[in-house]
Amino acid sequence: GQGTITTSSTVVTGHGTSFKTQLHVGDALLARTSRGEEMRVIKMVLSPISISISSAFSADLKTPTPFKYINKPRDVARESHATAAKARMEQEEVEQRAMGTYGNKGEIVYRERTEHGSYRIKREQATTDMTRSDLLSVRAKKKSDRYC
């Protein structure tokens, strides 16, 4: 690899490295220690100069030491598909949480103040499909909803 490394337990610090562009989670890091060449799996790429490895080397590398790495075989198409699916699922979760708070398909949920000073949850049927902004606007018009 480009540059040199030092270690402290499972934290690897690079000197003149670019870990963010060179390495990925699952890649193997090879370095020569006092007991010979050792290999560790990369668990996190924290920055261009810092990574976390699976377990500490037999002895900390206190002086800057050259290193090598072996890239984990990758299925780029599957990884990009998984990333897109995860982003889509997270977006759906955000929308679902919002609909669960403000209402869901065809229903508007808001709070109404009672004569005793507390609140009760009211539900109304929506006449059209509404966005989150539309739902919030409807709730804001209800003067007694304390969350608007």
Side-chain angles (χ1 to χ4, degrees), residues 31-48:
R32 184 163 302 285
T33 66
S34 57
R35 295 189 179 176
E37 191 163 80
E38 295 183 32
M39 180 176 75
R40 297 294 183 267
V41 176
I42 296 170
K43 292 294 180 186
M44 281 189 280
V45 179
L46 304 168
S47 72

mmCIF file of all heavy atoms in Angstrom, residues 31-48:
data_model
loop_
_atom_site.group_PDB
_atom_site.id
_atom_site.type_symbol
_atom_site.label_atom_id
_atom_site.label_comp_id
_atom_site.label_asym_id
_atom_site.label_seq_id
_atom_site.Cartn_x
_atom_site.Cartn_y
_atom_site.Cartn_z
ATOM 1 N N ALA A 31 1.070 -6.730 7.444
ATOM 2 C CA ALA A 31 2.180 -5.920 7.950
ATOM 3 C C ALA A 31 3.200 -6.830 8.614
ATOM 4 O O ALA A 31 2.851 -7.874 9.169
ATOM 5 C CB ALA A 31 1.665 -4.889 8.954
ATOM 6 N N ARG A 32 4.456 -6.416 8.542
ATOM 7 C CA ARG A 32 5.526 -7.194 9.164
ATOM 8 C C ARG A 32 5.693 -6.716 10.612
ATOM 9 O O ARG A 32 5.878 -5.536 10.873
ATOM 10 C CB ARG A 32 6.831 -7.012 8.403
ATOM 11 C CG ARG A 32 7.954 -7.878 8.945
ATOM 12 C CD ARG A 32 9.108 -8.042 7.991
ATOM 13 N NE ARG A 32 8.780 -8.617 6.699
ATOM 14 C CZ ARG A 32 8.518 -9.916 6.481
ATOM 15 N NH1 ARG A 32 8.505 -10.755 7.473
ATOM 16 N NH2 ARG A 32 8.256 -10.345 5.277
ATOM 17 N N THR A 33 5.570 -7.677 11.536
ATOM 18 C CA THR A 33 5.756 -7.384 12.960
ATOM 19 C C THR A 33 7.018 -8.104 13.434
ATOM 20 O O THR A 33 7.695 -8.773 12.643
ATOM 21 C CB THR A 33 4.552 -7.883 13.789
ATOM 22 O OG1 THR A 33 4.516 -9.302 13.738
ATOM 23 C CG2 THR A 33 3.241 -7.307 13.282
ATOM 24 N N SER A 34 7.294 -8.017 14.732
ATOM 25 C CA SER A 34 8.472 -8.694 15.278
ATOM 26 C C SER A 34 8.352 -10.212 15.149
ATOM 27 O O SER A 34 9.346 -10.922 15.192
ATOM 28 C CB SER A 34 8.660 -8.302 16.746
ATOM 29 O OG SER A 34 7.488 -8.610 17.482
ATOM 30 N N ARG A 35 7.138 -10.728 14.945
ATOM 31 C CA ARG A 35 6.909 -12.177 14.805
ATOM 32 C C ARG A 35 6.707 -12.604 13.351
ATOM 33 O O ARG A 35 6.226 -13.684 13.088
ATOM 34 C CB ARG A 35 5.693 -12.585 15.614
ATOM 35 C CG ARG A 35 5.902 -12.401 17.091
ATOM 36 C CD ARG A 35 4.780 -12.998 17.852
ATOM 37 N NE ARG A 35 5.011 -12.832 19.273
ATOM 38 C CZ ARG A 35 4.166 -13.191 20.194
ATOM 39 N NH1 ARG A 35 3.017 -13.734 19.854
ATOM 40 N NH2 ARG A 35 4.449 -13.004 21.464
ATOM 41 N N GLY A 36 7.029 -11.743 12.423
ATOM 42 C CA GLY A 36 6.858 -12.078 11.008
ATOM 43 C C GLY A 36 5.684 -11.329 10.406
ATOM 44 O O GLY A 36 5.122 -10.428 11.032
ATOM 45 N N GLU A 37 5.297 -11.719 9.205
ATOM 46 C CA GLU A 37 4.198 -11.030 8.541
ATOM 47 C C GLU A 37 2.859 -11.539 9.081
ATOM 48 O O GLU A 37 2.640 -12.738 9.179
ATOM 49 C CB GLU A 37 4.277 -11.236 7.024
ATOM 50 C CG GLU A 37 3.330 -10.343 6.264
ATOM 51 C CD GLU A 37 3.673 -10.243 4.798
ATOM 52 O OE1 GLU A 37 3.312 -11.177 4.062
ATOM 53 O OE2 GLU A 37 4.290 -9.245 4.407
ATOM 54 N N GLU A 38 1.990 -10.586 9.422
ATOM 55 C CA GLU A 38 0.676 -10.920 9.967
ATOM 56 C C GLU A 38 -0.405 -10.273 9.118
ATOM 57 O O GLU A 38 -0.190 -9.222 8.519
ATOM 58 C CB GLU A 38 0.547 -10.436 11.409
ATOM 59 C CG GLU A 38 1.499 -11.127 12.373
ATOM 60 C CD GLU A 38 1.292 -10.687 13.805
ATOM 61 O OE1 GLU A 38 0.140 -10.374 14.192
ATOM 62 O OE2 GLU A 38 2.288 -10.646 14.551
ATOM 63 N N MET A 39 -1.570 -10.930 9.103
ATOM 64 C CA MET A 39 -2.691 -10.430 8.325
ATOM 65 C C MET A 39 -3.886 -10.204 9.250
ATOM 66 O O MET A 39 -4.174 -11.012 10.122
ATOM 67 C CB MET A 39 -3.080 -11.432 7.238
ATOM 68 C CG MET A 39 -4.245 -10.983 6.385
ATOM 69 S SD MET A 39 -4.624 -12.117 5.050
ATOM 70 C CE MET A 39 -5.411 -13.426 5.941
ATOM 71 N N ARG A 40 -4.590 -9.072 9.037
ATOM 72 C CA ARG A 40 -5.803 -8.758 9.794
ATOM 73 C C ARG A 40 -6.876 -8.264 8.826
ATOM 74 O O ARG A 40 -6.575 -7.663 7.788
ATOM 75 C CB ARG A 40 -5.545 -7.662 10.843
ATOM 76 C CG ARG A 40 -4.550 -8.051 11.921
ATOM 77 C CD ARG A 40 -5.101 -9.185 12.789
ATOM 78 N NE ARG A 40 -4.219 -9.551 13.868
ATOM 79 C CZ ARG A 40 -3.306 -10.512 13.819
ATOM 80 N NH1 ARG A 40 -3.128 -11.191 12.709
ATOM 81 N NH2 ARG A 40 -2.566 -10.788 14.871
ATOM 82 N N VAL A 41 -8.134 -8.504 9.180
ATOM 83 C CA VAL A 41 -9.268 -8.085 8.351
ATOM 84 C C VAL A 41 -9.702 -6.689 8.770
ATOM 85 O O VAL A 41 -9.792 -6.393 9.972
ATOM 86 C CB VAL A 41 -10.443 -9.077 8.490
ATOM 87 C CG1 VAL A 41 -11.657 -8.593 7.715
ATOM 88 C CG2 VAL A 41 -10.023 -10.454 8.020
ATOM 89 N N ILE A 42 -10.000 -5.837 7.796
ATOM 90 C CA ILE A 42 -10.425 -4.463 8.076
ATOM 91 C C ILE A 42 -11.908 -4.475 8.436
ATOM 92 O O ILE A 42 -12.734 -4.984 7.688
ATOM 93 C CB ILE A 42 -10.156 -3.556 6.860
ATOM 94 C CG1 ILE A 42 -8.647 -3.494 6.619
ATOM 95 C CG2 ILE A 42 -10.756 -2.170 7.069
ATOM 96 C CD1 ILE A 42 -8.246 -2.848 5.327
ATOM 97 N N LYS A 43 -12.230 -3.934 9.595
ATOM 98 C CA LYS A 43 -13.616 -3.886 10.075
ATOM 99 C C LYS A 43 -14.283 -2.547 9.772
ATOM 100 O O LYS A 43 -15.484 -2.493 9.556
ATOM 101 C CB LYS A 43 -13.679 -4.149 11.590
ATOM 102 C CG LYS A 43 -13.320 -5.560 11.956
ATOM 103 C CD LYS A 43 -14.357 -6.500 11.404
ATOM 104 C CE LYS A 43 -14.062 -7.932 11.741
ATOM 105 N NZ LYS A 43 -14.961 -8.863 11.100
ATOM 106 N N MET A 44 -13.522 -1.440 9.817
ATOM 107 C CA MET A 44 -14.068 -0.106 9.536
ATOM 108 C C MET A 44 -12.997 0.753 8.883
ATOM 109 O O MET A 44 -11.842 0.696 9.284
ATOM 110 C CB MET A 44 -14.493 0.602 10.835
ATOM 111 C CG MET A 44 -15.803 0.179 11.391
ATOM 112 S SD MET A 44 -16.318 1.260 12.751
ATOM 113 C CE MET A 44 -15.340 0.604 14.086
ATOM 114 N N VAL A 45 -13.408 1.529 7.906
ATOM 115 C CA VAL A 45 -12.525 2.545 7.324
ATOM 116 C C VAL A 45 -13.030 3.869 7.874
ATOM 117 O O VAL A 45 -14.106 4.335 7.524
ATOM 118 C CB VAL A 45 -12.570 2.522 5.781
ATOM 119 C CG1 VAL A 45 -11.658 3.599 5.217
ATOM 120 C CG2 VAL A 45 -12.165 1.151 5.261
ATOM 121 N N LEU A 46 -12.279 4.450 8.802
ATOM 122 C CA LEU A 46 -12.730 5.632 9.525
ATOM 123 C C LEU A 46 -12.415 6.936 8.803
ATOM 124 O O LEU A 46 -13.202 7.871 8.846
ATOM 125 C CB LEU A 46 -12.120 5.630 10.929
ATOM 126 C CG LEU A 46 -12.408 4.357 11.748
ATOM 127 C CD1 LEU A 46 -11.535 4.302 12.982
ATOM 128 C CD2 LEU A 46 -13.867 4.296 12.117
ATOM 129 N N SER A 47 -11.263 7.008 8.170
ATOM 130 C CA SER A 47 -10.845 8.233 7.480
ATOM 131 C C SER A 47 -9.702 7.873 6.530
ATOM 132 O O SER A 47 -9.271 6.728 6.493
ATOM 133 C CB SER A 47 -10.394 9.285 8.505
ATOM 134 O OG SER A 47 -9.142 8.910 9.058
ATOM 135 N N PRO A 48 -9.168 8.852 5.815
ATOM 136 C CA PRO A 48 -8.033 8.547 4.932
ATOM 137 C C PRO A 48 -6.795 8.061 5.687
ATOM 138 O O PRO A 48 -5.920 7.439 5.099
ATOM 139 C CB PRO A 48 -7.745 9.879 4.231
ATOM 140 C CG PRO A 48 -9.032 10.622 4.290
ATOM 141 C CD PRO A 48 -9.668 10.214 5.582
#
